[in-house]
Amino acid sequence: MDLQEISLKLQAGKAKDVKILVQQAIDEGMSAQTILEEGLLSGMSIIGEKFKNNEIFVPEVLVAARAMNMGAALLKPLLVEAGVKASGKVCIGTVKGDLHDIGKNLVKMMMEGKGLEVIDIGTDVAPETFVQTAIDEGCQVICCSALLTTTMGVMADVIKAMEDAGIRDKVKIMVGGAPVTDAYCQKIGADAYTPDAASAADKAVAFCA
Ligand code: B1M
C-alpha cells in the first residue's frame, strides 16, 4: 500500500478512511513506525505548514487532528509493543485565571503529531502545578498558553516557581497565545515564544532533541 494515501486522507480530514487504511497497512505487515512516520506524521506536518502559512484554518486542523488521532490509536499498542519511544515529553496548560483552550489544544495536537508525548494539564493552571507536573512526569519542556492580557503575567510566575523548585536550568519553558510576543518572552526570561501551533511543535521537538 502507498502510505501517501493515508497522508492525503488525513489532510482531507477523512478520519474513517484513515482508520481503514491504517488497519490495511498493519494487515499488510508494515511496521507501525513506518505507518506513523510516512503516513500520519507526514500528513500532519503538511497540515502544520499550511496552517502556519494561513492556507488553512482552525476547523481544517481540528478535523485533520481527529483523523490523526484515530489512526494513531490503532498504532499505539503496536508502538508500545515494539518499544518505540516518544521523542520527548512536554506538559502544556493555560495559565491560572484563563479558560481559553482552543489554541492550547491545537498546540497539543501538533506536538503529538510530531511524536512528542504531551501531558495536558488543562486550563486555569497554577504555576506550582506546571512545575510539579514537569517534575513528576519528567518533562523536558513546560508550555504555557495565555489569551488574556490580564493572565499572561502568570507566565513570569511559572518561571519564578521553576527557579524556586530548582528546575529552571533543567526544563525549558515555552510561551504562546494571542497577546504574547517575542519581546514579552524575552522580558520574562522564557526560553521561546512561538506564534502558532506548528512552530511551537517544531521548537519543542528541537528542545527535546
Ligand atoms: Co475570550 N477573549 N474571553 N472567550 N476569546 C478573547 C481572547 C478576546 C481577545 C476577545 C476580544 O475582546 N476581542 C478577549 C481578550 C482581551 C485581552 O485580554 N486583550 C477575551 C475576553 C475579554 C474574554 C472574557 C474576559 C470575556 C468575559 O467574560 N467578559 C472571558 C474570560 C474567561 C477566562 O478565560 N477567564 C472570555 C471567554 C471566552 C469563551 C469561554 C467564550 C471562549 C473560550 C472557549 C475556549 O477556549 N474553550 C472565548 C473565545 C473563543 C475567544 C476568542 C473569540 C477566540 C480565541 C481562540 O480560541 N482563538 C478570542 C478573540 C480572538 O482571538 N479573535 C477571545 C483561536 C485559537 C486557535 O487561537 O488561542 O491564539 P489562539 O492560539 C494560537 C496561537 O496563539 C498559538 O497557537 C494557536 C494556534 O496557532 N498558541 C500557542 C496558543 N497557545 C499557545 C501556547 C504555546 C505556543 C503557542 O505554548 C508554547
Side-chain angles (χ1 to χ4, degrees), residues 51 58 92 97-104 106-107 111 142-150 174-179 192 194-198 200:
F51 185 53
V58 175
I92 186 164
D98 200 326
L99 302 173
H100 295 85
D101 67 356
I102 297 170
K104 167 187 74 66
L106 277 174
V107 174
M111 287 183 171
I142 289 175
C143 296
C144 297
S145 180
L147 264 288
L148 300 171
T149 44
T150 48
M174 291 172 56
V175 293
T194 48
D196 55 60

Side-chain angles (χ1 to χ4, degrees), residues 95-98 100 146-155 157 179 184:
V95 297
K96 189 152 191 61
D98 200 326
H100 295 85
L147 264 288
L148 300 171
T149 44
T150 48
T151 58
M152 58 194 267
V154 177
M155 291 169 164
D157 300 339
Y184 184 71

Side-chain angles (χ1 to χ4, degrees), residues 17-39:
D17 292 346
V18 167
K19 204 175 161 190
I20 291 166
L21 289 170
V22 167
Q23 189 58 55
Q24 204 176 314
I26 294 171
D27 295 343
E28 284 177 20
M30 287 190 188
S31 83
Q33 177 85 41
T34 306
I35 303 168
L36 179 70
E37 281 172 7
E38 294 175 25

